[in-house]
Coordinates of all heavy atoms in Angstrom, one line a residue:
M1 N 0.8 -1.2 0.0 CA 0.0 0.0 0.0 C 0.9 1.3 0.0 O 0.3 2.4 0.0 CB -0.9 0.0 1.2 CG -2.4 0.2 0.8 SD -3.6 -0.2 2.1 CE -3.6 1.2 3.1
K2 N 2.2 1.1 0.1 CA 3.0 2.3 0.1 C 3.8 2.4 -1.3 O 4.2 1.4 -1.8 CB 4.1 2.2 1.2 CG 3.5 2.4 2.6 CD 4.6 2.4 3.6 CE 4.0 2.7 5.0 NZ 5.0 2.4 6.1
D3 N 4.0 3.7 -1.7 CA 4.7 3.9 -2.9 C 6.2 4.1 -2.5 O 6.6 4.0 -1.4 CB 4.1 5.0 -3.8 CG 4.2 6.4 -3.1 OD1 5.0 6.5 -2.1 OD2 3.6 7.3 -3.6
D4 N 7.0 4.5 -3.5 CA 8.4 4.7 -3.3 C 8.8 5.8 -2.3 O 9.8 5.8 -1.7 CB 9.1 4.9 -4.6 CG 9.1 3.7 -5.5 OD1 8.9 2.6 -4.9 OD2 9.3 3.8 -6.7
N5 N 7.9 6.7 -2.2 CA 8.1 7.9 -1.3 C 7.6 7.6 0.1 O 7.6 8.5 0.9 CB 7.5 9.1 -1.9 CG 8.2 9.5 -3.2 OD1 9.4 9.5 -3.3 ND2 7.4 9.9 -4.2
G6 N 7.1 6.4 0.4 CA 6.5 6.1 1.7 C 5.1 6.6 1.9 O 4.6 6.6 3.0
R7 N 4.5 7.2 0.8 CA 3.1 7.6 0.9 C 2.2 6.5 0.9 O 2.5 5.5 0.2 CB 2.8 8.6 -0.2 CG 3.6 9.9 -0.1 CD 3.2 10.8 -1.3 NE 3.6 10.2 -2.5 CZ 3.7 10.8 -3.7 NH1 3.4 12.1 -3.7 NH2 4.0 10.2 -4.8
V8 N 1.1 6.6 1.6 CA 0.1 5.5 1.6 C -0.9 5.8 0.5 O -1.5 6.9 0.5 CB -0.5 5.3 3.0 CG1 -1.6 4.3 2.9 CG2 0.6 5.0 4.0
C9 N -1.2 4.9 -0.3 CA -2.2 5.0 -1.3 C -3.5 4.4 -0.8 O -3.5 3.3 -0.3 CB -1.8 4.4 -2.6 SG -0.3 5.0 -3.3
I10 N -4.6 5.2 -1.0 CA -5.9 4.6 -0.6 C -6.6 4.3 -1.9 O -6.7 5.1 -2.8 CB -6.7 5.7 0.2 CG1 -5.9 6.0 1.5 CG2 -8.1 5.2 0.5 CD1 -6.5 7.1 2.3
P11 N -7.1 3.1 -2.0 CA -7.8 2.7 -3.2 C -9.0 3.6 -3.5 O -9.7 4.1 -2.6 CB -8.4 1.3 -2.8 CG -7.4 0.8 -1.8 CD -7.0 2.0 -1.0
I12 N -9.2 3.9 -4.7 CA -10.2 4.9 -5.2 C -11.6 4.5 -4.7 O -12.4 5.3 -4.3 CB -10.2 5.0 -6.7 CG1 -11.1 6.2 -7.1 CG2 -10.6 3.8 -7.4 CD1 -10.5 7.6 -6.8
Q13 N -11.9 3.2 -4.6 CA -13.2 2.7 -4.1 C -13.4 3.1 -2.7 O -14.5 3.5 -2.3 CB -13.3 1.2 -4.3 CG -14.7 0.6 -4.0 CD -15.7 1.2 -4.9 OE1 -15.5 1.5 -6.1 NE2 -16.9 1.4 -4.3
M14 N -12.3 2.9 -1.9 CA -12.4 3.3 -0.5 C -12.6 4.8 -0.3 O -13.4 5.3 0.6 CB -11.2 2.8 0.3 CG -11.3 2.9 1.8 SD -9.8 2.4 2.6 CE -9.7 0.6 2.2
R15 N -11.9 5.5 -1.1 CA -12.1 7.0 -1.1 C -13.5 7.4 -1.4 O -14.0 8.3 -0.7 CB -11.1 7.7 -2.1 CG -9.7 7.4 -1.8 CD -8.8 7.9 -2.9 NE -8.9 9.4 -3.0 CZ -7.8 10.2 -2.7 NH1 -6.7 9.6 -2.2 NH2 -7.9 11.5 -2.8
K16 N -14.1 6.8 -2.3 CA -15.5 7.1 -2.6 C -16.4 6.8 -1.5 O -17.3 7.5 -1.1 CB -15.9 6.3 -3.9 CG -15.4 6.9 -5.2 CD -15.8 6.1 -6.4 CE -15.2 6.7 -7.7 NZ -15.4 5.7 -8.8
E17 N -16.2 5.6 -0.9 CA -17.0 5.2 0.2 C -16.9 6.1 1.4 O -17.8 6.4 2.1 CB -16.8 3.7 0.6 CG -17.3 2.8 -0.5 CD -16.9 1.3 -0.1 OE1 -16.4 1.1 1.0 OE2 -17.1 0.5 -1.0
M18 N -15.7 6.6 1.7 CA -15.4 7.5 2.8 C -15.6 8.9 2.4 O -15.5 9.8 3.3 CB -14.0 7.2 3.3 CG -13.8 5.9 4.0 SD -12.1 5.6 4.6 CE -12.1 6.7 6.0
E19 N -15.9 9.2 1.2 CA -16.0 10.5 0.7 C -14.8 11.4 1.0 O -14.9 12.5 1.5 CB -17.3 11.2 1.3 CG -18.6 10.4 0.8 CD -19.8 11.0 1.5 OE1 -19.7 11.7 2.5 OE2 -20.9 10.8 0.9
I20 N -13.6 10.8 0.7 CA -12.4 11.5 0.9 C -12.0 12.2 -0.5 O -11.8 11.5 -1.4 CB -11.3 10.6 1.3 CG1 -11.6 9.9 2.6 CG2 -9.9 11.3 1.4 CD1 -10.7 8.7 3.0
S21 N -12.0 13.5 -0.5 CA -11.5 14.1 -1.7 C -10.0 14.3 -1.6 O -9.4 14.2 -0.6 CB -12.2 15.5 -1.9 OG -12.0 16.2 -0.7
S22 N -9.4 14.5 -2.8 CA -7.9 14.6 -2.7 C -7.5 15.9 -1.9 O -8.2 16.9 -2.0 CB -7.3 14.7 -4.1 OG -8.0 15.7 -4.9
G23 N -6.5 15.7 -1.1 CA -6.1 16.8 -0.2 C -6.8 16.8 1.1 O -6.4 17.6 2.0
R24 N -7.8 16.0 1.2 CA -8.5 15.9 2.5 C -7.6 15.2 3.6 O -6.9 14.2 3.2 CB -9.8 15.0 2.3 CG -10.5 14.6 3.6 CD -11.5 15.7 4.0 NE -11.8 15.6 5.4 CZ -13.1 15.7 5.8 NH1 -14.1 15.9 4.9 NH2 -13.4 15.6 7.0
S25 N -7.6 15.7 4.7 CA -6.8 15.2 5.8 C -7.4 13.9 6.4 O -8.6 13.9 6.6 CB -6.6 16.2 6.9 OG -5.9 17.3 6.5
I26 N -6.6 12.9 6.5 CA -7.1 11.7 7.2 C -6.0 11.3 8.3 O -4.9 11.8 8.2 CB -7.2 10.5 6.2 CG1 -5.9 10.2 5.5 CG2 -8.4 10.7 5.3 CD1 -5.9 8.9 4.7
E27 N -6.4 10.5 9.2 CA -5.5 10.1 10.2 C -5.5 8.6 10.4 O -6.5 8.0 10.1 CB -5.8 10.8 11.5 CG -7.1 10.6 12.1 CD -7.4 11.4 13.4 OE1 -6.4 12.0 13.9 OE2 -8.5 11.5 13.8
F28 N -4.4 8.1 10.8 CA -4.2 6.7 11.0 C -4.1 6.4 12.5 O -3.3 7.1 13.2 CB -2.9 6.2 10.3 CG -3.0 6.3 8.8 CD1 -2.7 7.6 8.2 CD2 -3.3 5.2 8.1 CE1 -2.8 7.7 6.8 CE2 -3.4 5.4 6.7 CZ -3.1 6.6 6.0
L29 N -4.9 5.5 12.9 CA -4.9 5.1 14.3 C -4.5 3.7 14.5 O -5.0 2.8 13.8 CB -6.3 5.3 15.0 CG -6.9 6.7 14.8 CD1 -8.3 6.7 15.3 CD2 -6.1 7.8 15.5
A30 N -3.5 3.4 15.3 CA -3.1 2.0 15.6 C -4.0 1.4 16.6 O -4.2 2.0 17.7 CB -1.6 2.0 16.0
D31 N -4.5 0.3 16.4 CA -5.4 -0.4 17.3 C -5.0 -1.8 17.4 O -5.5 -2.7 16.6 CB -6.9 -0.2 16.9 CG -7.8 -0.9 17.9 OD1 -7.4 -1.3 19.0 OD2 -9.0 -1.2 17.5
G32 N -4.1 -2.2 18.2 CA -3.5 -3.5 18.3 C -2.8 -3.8 17.0 O -1.9 -3.1 16.6
D33 N -3.2 -4.9 16.3 CA -2.6 -5.2 15.0 C -3.4 -4.7 13.8 O -3.1 -5.0 12.7 CB -2.5 -6.8 14.9 CG -3.8 -7.5 15.0 OD1 -4.8 -6.8 15.3 OD2 -3.8 -8.7 14.8
K34 N -4.3 -3.8 14.1 CA -5.1 -3.1 13.0 C -4.6 -1.7 12.9 O -4.2 -1.1 13.8 CB -6.6 -3.2 13.3 CG -7.1 -4.6 13.3 CD -8.6 -4.5 13.6 CE -8.9 -4.1 15.0 NZ -10.3 -4.2 15.4
T35 N -4.8 -1.2 11.7 CA -4.7 0.3 11.5 C -6.0 0.8 11.0 O -6.6 0.3 10.1 CB -3.6 0.6 10.4 OG1 -2.4 0.0 10.8 CG2 -3.4 2.1 10.2
I36 N -6.5 1.8 11.7 CA -7.7 2.4 11.4 C -7.5 3.7 10.7 O -6.7 4.6 11.1 CB -8.6 2.7 12.7 CG1 -8.8 1.4 13.4 CG2 -9.8 3.5 12.4 CD1 -9.4 1.6 14.8
I37 N -8.2 3.9 9.5 CA -8.1 5.1 8.8 C -9.4 5.9 8.9 O -10.4 5.3 8.7 CB -7.9 4.8 7.3 CG1 -6.6 4.0 7.1 CG2 -7.8 6.1 6.4 CD1 -6.4 3.4 5.6
Q38 N -9.3 7.1 9.4 CA -10.5 7.9 9.5 C -10.2 9.3 9.0 O -9.1 9.8 9.0 CB -11.1 7.8 10.9 CG -10.2 8.6 11.9 CD -10.9 8.5 13.3 OE1 -11.6 7.6 13.6 NE2 -10.6 9.6 14.0
K39 N -11.3 9.9 8.6 CA -11.2 11.3 8.1 C -10.9 12.1 9.3 O -11.5 11.9 10.4 CB -12.6 11.7 7.5 CG -12.8 11.1 6.1 CD -14.1 11.7 5.5 CE -15.3 11.0 6.0 NZ -16.5 11.5 5.3
Y40 N -10.0 13.0 9.1 CA -9.7 14.0 10.2 C -10.7 15.1 10.2 O -10.8 15.8 9.2 CB -8.3 14.5 10.1 CG -8.0 15.4 11.3 CD1 -7.9 14.9 12.5 CD2 -7.7 16.8 11.1 CE1 -7.6 15.7 13.6 CE2 -7.4 17.6 12.2 CZ -7.4 17.0 13.4 OH -7.1 17.9 14.5
E41 N -11.5 15.2 11.2 CA -12.6 16.2 11.2 C -12.1 17.5 11.7 O -11.8 17.8 12.8 CB -13.7 15.7 12.2 CG -14.3 14.4 11.8 CD -15.1 14.4 10.5 OE1 -15.4 15.5 10.0 OE2 -15.3 13.3 9.9
Q42 N -11.9 18.4 10.7 CA -11.3 19.7 11.0 C -12.3 20.6 11.6 O -12.0 21.7 12.0 CB -10.7 20.3 9.7 CG -9.5 19.5 9.3 CD -8.9 20.0 8.0 OE1 -9.7 20.4 7.1 NE2 -7.6 20.1 7.9
E43 N -13.6 20.1 11.7 CA -14.6 21.0 12.3 C -14.5 20.9 13.8 O -15.2 21.7 14.5 CB -16.0 20.5 11.9 CG -16.2 20.6 10.4 CD -15.6 19.5 9.6 OE1 -15.3 18.4 10.2 OE2 -15.4 19.6 8.4
V44 N -13.7 20.0 14.3 CA -13.6 19.8 15.8 C -12.9 21.0 16.4 O -11.8 21.3 15.9 CB -12.9 18.5 16.1 CG1 -12.7 18.4 17.6 CG2 -13.6 17.3 15.6
P45 N -13.5 21.7 17.3 CA -12.8 22.9 17.9 C -11.7 22.4 18.9 O -11.7 21.3 19.4 CB -13.9 23.6 18.6 CG -14.9 22.5 19.0 CD -14.8 21.5 17.9
C46 N -10.8 23.4 19.2 CA -9.8 23.2 20.2 C -10.4 22.9 21.6 O -11.4 23.6 21.9 CB -8.9 24.5 20.2 SG -7.8 24.6 21.6
I47 N -9.9 22.0 22.3 CA -10.5 21.6 23.6 C -10.2 22.7 24.6 O -10.9 22.8 25.7 CB -10.0 20.3 24.1 CG1 -8.5 20.3 24.3 CG2 -10.5 19.2 23.2 CD1 -8.1 19.2 25.3
F48 N -9.2 23.5 24.4 CA -8.8 24.5 25.4 C -9.6 25.9 25.2 O -10.1 26.4 26.2 CB -7.3 24.8 25.4 CG -6.5 23.6 25.8 CD1 -5.7 23.0 24.9 CD2 -6.6 23.2 27.1 CE1 -4.9 21.9 25.3 CE2 -5.8 22.1 27.5 CZ -5.0 21.4 26.6
C49 N -9.6 26.3 24.0 CA -10.2 27.7 23.8 C -11.4 27.6 22.9 O -12.0 28.6 22.6 CB -9.2 28.6 23.3 SG -8.7 28.3 21.6
S50 N -11.8 26.4 22.4 CA -12.9 26.2 21.5 C -12.7 26.9 20.1 O -13.6 27.1 19.4 CB -14.2 26.7 22.1 OG -14.5 26.0 23.2
G51 N -11.4 27.4 19.9 CA -11.1 28.0 18.6 C -11.1 27.0 17.5 O -10.8 25.8 17.7
M52 N -11.3 27.5 16.3 CA -11.3 26.7 15.1 C -10.0 26.9 14.3 O -9.9 26.3 13.2 CB -12.5 26.9 14.3 CG -13.8 26.8 15.0 SD -14.1 25.0 15.5 CE -14.6 24.4 13.9
H53 N -9.1 27.8 14.7 CA -8.0 28.1 13.9 C -6.8 27.1 14.0 O -6.3 26.9 15.1 CB -7.4 29.5 14.4 CG -6.3 30.0 13.6 ND1 -6.4 30.3 12.2 CD2 -5.0 30.2 13.9 CE1 -5.2 30.7 11.8 NE2 -4.3 30.6 12.8
E54 N -6.6 26.5 12.8 CA -5.5 25.5 12.7 C -5.5 24.5 13.8 O -4.6 24.2 14.5 CB -4.1 26.2 12.8 CG -3.8 27.1 11.5 CD -2.4 27.7 11.6 OE1 -1.5 26.9 11.9 OE2 -2.3 28.9 11.3
V55 N -6.7 23.9 13.9 CA -6.8 22.8 14.9 C -6.3 21.5 14.4 O -6.7 21.1 13.3 CB -8.3 22.7 15.3 CG1 -8.5 21.5 16.3 CG2 -8.8 23.9 16.0
H56 N -5.4 20.9 15.1 CA -4.9 19.6 14.7 C -4.9 18.6 15.8 O -4.9 19.0 17.0 CB -3.4 19.7 14.2 CG -3.3 20.6 13.0 ND1 -3.7 20.2 11.7 CD2 -2.8 21.8 12.9 CE1 -3.5 21.2 10.9 NE2 -2.9 22.2 11.6
A57 N -4.9 17.3 15.5 CA -4.9 16.3 16.6 C -3.5 16.3 17.2 O -2.5 16.1 16.5 CB -5.3 15.0 16.0
F58 N -3.4 16.6 18.4 CA -2.1 16.5 19.2 C -2.2 15.4 20.2 O -3.0 15.6 21.2 CB -1.8 17.9 19.8 CG -0.5 17.9 20.5 CD1 0.7 18.3 19.8 CD2 -0.3 17.6 21.8 CE1 1.9 18.3 20.4 CE2 0.9 17.7 22.5 CZ 2.0 18.0 21.7
R59 N -1.6 14.3 19.9 CA -1.7 13.1 20.8 C -3.2 12.7 20.9 O -3.7 12.5 22.0 CB -1.0 13.3 22.1 CG 0.4 13.6 21.9 CD 1.2 13.8 23.2 NE 2.5 14.2 22.9 CZ 3.5 14.3 23.8 NH1 3.2 14.1 25.1 NH2 4.7 14.7 23.5
G60 N -3.9 12.8 19.8 CA -5.3 12.4 19.8 C -6.3 13.4 20.3 O -7.5 13.2 20.4
T61 N -5.8 14.6 20.7 CA -6.6 15.7 21.2 C -6.7 16.8 20.2 O -5.6 17.3 19.8 CB -6.1 16.1 22.6 OG1 -5.9 15.0 23.4 CG2 -7.0 17.2 23.2
P62 N -7.8 17.3 19.9 CA -7.9 18.5 19.0 C -7.4 19.8 19.7 O -8.0 20.2 20.7 CB -9.4 18.6 18.7 CG -10.1 17.9 19.8 CD -9.2 16.9 20.3
V63 N -6.3 20.3 19.3 CA -5.7 21.5 19.9 C -5.3 22.5 18.8 O -4.8 22.1 17.8 CB -4.4 21.0 20.7 CG1 -3.8 22.2 21.4 CG2 -4.8 20.0 21.7
C64 N -5.6 23.8 19.1 CA -5.3 24.8 18.1 C -3.7 25.1 18.1 O -3.0 24.6 19.0 CB -6.1 26.1 18.3 SG -5.5 27.0 19.8
A65 N -3.3 25.8 17.1 CA -1.9 26.0 16.9 C -1.3 26.7 18.2 O -0.2 26.4 18.6 CB -1.6 26.9 15.7
T66 N -2.0 27.6 18.8 CA -1.5 28.4 19.9 C -1.2 27.4 21.1 O -0.1 27.5 21.7 CB -2.6 29.4 20.4 OG1 -2.9 30.2 19.3 CG2 -2.1 30.2 21.6
W67 N -2.2 26.5 21.3 CA -2.0 25.6 22.5 C -1.0 24.5 22.1 O -0.3 24.0 23.0 CB -3.3 25.0 22.9 CG -4.1 26.0 23.7 CD1 -5.0 27.0 23.3 CD2 -3.9 26.3 25.1 NE1 -5.4 27.7 24.3 CE2 -4.8 27.3 25.5 CE3 -3.2 25.7 26.1 CZ2 -4.9 27.8 26.8 CZ3 -3.3 26.1 27.4 CH2 -4.2 27.2 27.7
Q68 N -0.9 24.1 20.9 CA 0.1 23.1 20.5 C 1.5 23.6 20.8 O 2.3 22.9 21.3 CB 0.0 22.8 19.0 CG -1.1 21.8 18.7 CD -1.1 21.5 17.3 OE1 -0.1 21.0 16.7 NE2 -2.2 21.6 16.6
N69 N 1.7 24.9 20.5 CA 3.0 25.5 20.9 C 3.3 25.4 22.3 O 4.4 25.1 22.8 CB 3.1 27.0 20.4 CG 3.1 27.1 18.9 OD1 3.6 26.1 18.2 ND2 2.7 28.2 18.3
W70 N 2.3 25.7 23.1 CA 2.5 25.6 24.6 C 2.8 24.2 25.1 O 3.6 24.0 25.9 CB 1.2 26.2 25.3 CG 1.2 27.6 25.4 CD1 0.5 28.5 24.7 CD2 2.0 28.4 26.3 NE1 0.8 29.8 25.1 CE2 1.7 29.8 26.1 CE3 3.0 28.1 27.3 CZ2 2.3 30.8 26.8 CZ3 3.6 29.1 28.0 CH2 3.2 30.5 27.8
M71 N 2.0 23.3 24.5 CA 2.2 21.9 24.9 C 3.5 21.3 24.6 O 4.1 20.6 25.3 CB 1.0 21.0 24.3 CG -0.3 21.3 25.0 SD -1.7 20.5 24.1 CE -1.5 18.9 24.8
I72 N 4.0 21.7 23.4 CA 5.3 21.3 23.0 C 6.4 21.8 23.9 O 7.4 21.2 24.3 CB 5.6 21.7 21.5 CG1 4.7 20.9 20.6 CG2 7.1 21.5 21.1 CD1 4.6 21.4 19.2
R73 N 6.2 23.1 24.3 CA 7.2 23.7 25.3 C 7.1 23.0 26.6 O 8.1 22.8 27.3 CB 6.9 25.2 25.5 CG 7.6 26.0 24.4 CD 7.3 27.5 24.7 NE 6.8 28.1 23.5 CZ 6.2 29.3 23.5 NH1 6.1 30.0 24.6 NH2 5.9 29.9 22.3
L74 N 5.9 22.6 27.1 CA 5.8 22.0 28.4 C 6.3 20.6 28.5 O 6.6 20.1 29.5 CB 4.3 22.1 28.8 CG 3.7 23.5 29.1 CD1 2.2 23.4 29.2 CD2 4.3 24.0 30.3
H75 N 6.3 19.9 27.3 CA 6.7 18.5 27.4 C 8.2 18.3 27.2 O 8.8 19.1 26.5 CB 5.9 17.7 26.3 CG 4.5 17.4 26.8 ND1 3.5 18.2 26.6 CD2 4.0 16.4 27.5 CE1 2.4 17.7 27.1 NE2 2.7 16.6 27.7
Ligands
ZN1 ZN1 -7.2 26.8 21.2

């Protein structure tokens, strides 16, 4: 499922079923010996400030860019 650049290719049929358009963010979750692929819901607000600006999953938690910077400094 990986090409020469280490990118993971998702079969077109799966993309249609998951309604993943090209450029859409997805995330991979490891669950035992399985890998779960799911659409990354960018509509999820930051858990700290409820902001929607540049929210990304940080260790599985939706956190905006401002708080990600803080968490990286704290860890
Ligand atoms: Zn925030």
Side-chain angles (χ1 to χ4, degrees):
M1 232 164 80
K2 285 183 180 172
D3 67 12
D4 292 340
N5 295 318
R7 293 177 299 193
V8 176
C9 300
I10 299 174
I12 190 74
Q13 186 62 35
M14 191 183 291
R15 295 171 69 108
K16 282 179 183 168
E17 287 176 11
M18 292 179 72
E19 297 177 340
I20 300 169
S21 53
S22 55
R24 171 85 199 225
S25 296
I26 57 170
E27 59 186 348
F28 294 82
L29 306 173
D31 179 15
D33 56 354
K34 292 180 293 190
T35 302
I36 298 169
I37 301 171
Q38 68 178 31
K39 287 186 279 188
Y40 183 64
E41 301 296 342
Q42 292 178 321
E43 298 79 20
V44 177
C46 168
I47 61 160
F48 294 113
C49 69
S50 299
M52 303 293 284
H53 180 66
E54 291 185 45
V55 177
H56 298 288
F58 185 85
R59 297 180 188 187
T61 305
V63 181
C64 72
T66 303
W67 282 93
Q68 277 182 56
N69 289 338
W70 277 105
M71 290 172 79
I72 289 166
R73 272 182 230 168
L74 290 170
H75 280 91

